[in-house]
Amino acid sequence: MIETLRVDQWLYTVLSGDPTLKSLVGQRIYGYVAPEDAALPYVVYSHQAGHDVQGVGPARIMANLIYQVKAIGSGSSFVPLRAIADRIDALLQGASGGAVDGRVLMCIREQPIEYVEIDDGIQYRHVGGIYRLWVQ
């Protein structure tokens, strides 16, 4: 079983199904990359790293995965992204649940992220977190 595919679906379901987050970003929740013409702000999540937890022999007990989940916007301040990032964290911190034919046992933020990119003179701000997920 490829656990990342299950986590991708679980993250999208959790984030897109929340009315509060939906009021802040609409349907603009994307896995890995947003469309080029996507309106700002939006949410992006992506798998960063992980490892399998092995039992005796070939048995894999679970996967321990790292995901980045963040809000992206433009401008000279992080303040407009605060409510989005806070809502992402409220939804994911300590969360668990079913994912297609797997299960997210726990999701915990390991560190916050906050940085700025500049492209063609436009400042793009990223704020969110790095989350560890234990998945079976």
Side-chain angles (χ1 to χ4, degrees):
M1 171 166 92
I2 304 299
E3 290 85 356
T4 54
L5 298 175
R6 278 73 178 180
V7 172
D8 292 347
Q9 178 267 330
W10 181 81
L11 283 169
Y12 183 79
T13 299
V14 168
L15 297 171
S16 67
D18 181 66
T20 302
L21 187 58
K22 193 177 284 188
S23 73
L24 298 167
V25 298
Q27 295 297 323
R28 298 183 309 274
I29 298 169
Y30 306 106
Y32 297 88
V33 64
E36 246 181 74
D37 60 348
L40 294 166
Y42 54 77
V43 172
V44 173
Y45 57 87
S46 60
H47 176 247
Q48 303 293 298
H51 67 273
D52 290 336
V53 177
Q54 296 294 128
V56 176
R60 182 173 50 240
I61 297 169
M62 71 179 132
N64 185 330
L65 305 175
I66 303 291
Y67 271 74
Q68 180 181 102
V69 186
K70 62 186 179 179
I72 302 173
S74 63
S76 60
S77 173
F78 285 103
V79 172
L81 298 176
R82 182 184 301 152
I84 301 168
D86 286 348
R87 189 63 189 158
I88 291 168
D89 192 55
L91 290 168
L92 297 182
Q93 181 66 18
S96 62
V100 187
D101 56 348
R103 179 151 186 81
V104 173
L105 301 172
M106 182 65 71
C107 178
I108 300 290
R109 193 184 80 188
E110 292 207 335
Q111 66 186 53
I113 56 171
E114 179 178 290
Y115 62 96
V116 178
E117 292 181 302
I118 299 176
D119 185 25
D120 287 333
I122 300 171
Q123 293 184 22
Y124 294 96
R125 297 187 177 264
H126 304 246
V127 63
I130 303 294
Y131 291 86
R132 181 171 303 272
L133 296 97
W134 290 271
V135 185
Q136 286 184 320

